[in-house]
Amino acid sequence: MANLKITLCEGRVAAADLFNSDPYVAVTVAETRVQSPIEEDTTSLQWNWEYVFENITPDHRVRFHVYDSDTPDPDDDLGYFQTTVARFLNGKEGAKQTIHVGDSTLVVVGTWV
């Protein structure tokens, strides 16, 4: 087992609140789920947010789930992308890659650390 660093670099999300969204991404690897900061009133994101998941194998699942924050109402589900860590990193470890999540696009980096 090794540690996997996921970096959310940037993205474009669908407007869920008329012209903008308050997006965030929930990233799940294996059984660990973490959430990026919420970016308010935007559809164009510059996160540069990262998290290190511990004790991960290539067979674990990785999931990127995009939401629009709607306090106090339930958050809007803008879609998700899911695959194995092995497929996510296949030939792209340490490189920016674009993934499509519903009508949204995320630029992410995955690296074994």
Side-chain angles (χ1 to χ4, degrees):
M1 291 194 194
N3 296 336
L4 176 68
K5 180 170 70 172
I6 300 284
T7 304
L8 294 176
C9 302
E10 58 190 88
R12 293 200 58 76
V13 299
D17 300 329
L18 195 54
F19 298 111
N20 283 315
S21 289
D22 302 310
Y24 66 92
V25 178
V27 181
T28 305
V29 179
E31 300 299 318
T32 302
R33 180 184 186 272
V34 295
Q35 177 181 311
S36 72
I38 296 168
E39 296 291 326
E40 295 185 8
D41 296 320
T42 189
T43 57
S44 182
L45 307 158
Q46 292 293 321
W47 274 299
N48 294 313
W49 175 84
E50 62 187 35
Y51 186 85
V52 176
F53 295 87
E54 297 179 344
N55 301 316
I56 303 303
T57 70
D59 294 330
H60 279 123
R61 309 277 311 159
V62 58
R63 178 180 177 126
F64 298 89
H65 203 144
V66 180
Y67 294 93
D68 171 54
S69 179
D70 282 332
T71 305
D73 298 325
D75 294 347
D76 296 324
D77 180 345
L78 300 182
Y80 70 91
F81 171 85
Q82 180 173 284
T83 190
T84 64
V85 170
R87 286 186 181 179
F88 172 63
L89 293 179
N90 187 21
K92 302 176 205 113
E93 181 182 351
K96 287 184 178 180
Q97 56 180 305
T98 301
I99 57 174
H100 299 280
V101 181
D103 291 333
S104 303
T105 303
L106 302 176
V107 178
V108 299
V109 177
T111 308
W112 291 115
V113 292

